[in-house]
Amino acid sequence: MSRNTARARARIDQLSDELAIGAAIRLRTDADQIKAIVDAVVAYLVEEYPSQDLYIPSAVTYPVDEIRADFKTMSMRALCRKYRISRQTVYRLLDSEV
């Protein structure tokens, strides 16, 4: 087994462990009880989407009213830096209903 294969396997195992812990906390159960299910889900993802990065969306809520107010006085670059968001996110928030 190559070093890269060992590293990839370790990352997959680490992801599986983290997901099992998170699921156990959410479901209020023991992580060992759901480990087999989580391992199966991770194995499926690895087989179906090989060599792809995992995208985990943010659960952040943005202060839309503040962003709208700052949009009138700040540059786009400063606005993005202040709220740590992309231009696309700024425009999406500005277009959203209040």
Side-chain angles (χ1 to χ4, degrees):
M1 179 175 4
S2 75
R3 187 179 335 179
N4 289 337
T5 304
R7 286 182 186 157
R9 184 74 237 157
R11 289 176 57 205
I12 291 169
D13 290 342
Q14 186 179 18
L15 173 63
S16 182
D17 292 343
E18 188 70 26
L19 290 172
I21 291 168
I25 291 169
R26 295 278 178 147
L27 299 172
R28 293 191 168 120
T29 187
D30 186 28
D32 295 332
Q33 292 177 339
I34 57 174
K35 182 79 166 102
I37 296 168
V38 171
D39 287 341
V41 170
V42 170
Y44 168 79
L45 292 172
V46 168
E47 289 170 8
E48 288 296 314
Y49 306 100
S51 300
Q52 293 186 19
D53 290 332
L54 176 64
Y55 171 71
I56 301 173
S58 174
V60 174
T61 56
Y62 299 106
V64 178
D65 293 333
E66 289 178 35
I67 293 172
R68 285 186 179 167
D70 288 343
F71 182 72
K72 296 174 184 172
T73 60
M74 296 175 73
S75 70
M76 179 59 76
R77 175 175 270 170
L79 191 67
C80 292
R81 202 173 316 133
K82 178 179 178 180
Y83 293 102
R84 296 182 180 185
I85 55 178
S86 67
R87 293 173 91 92
Q88 294 87 351
T89 303
V90 171
Y91 288 121
R92 182 178 48 83
L93 292 172
L94 293 174
D95 290 341
S96 68
E97 296 293 322
V98 177

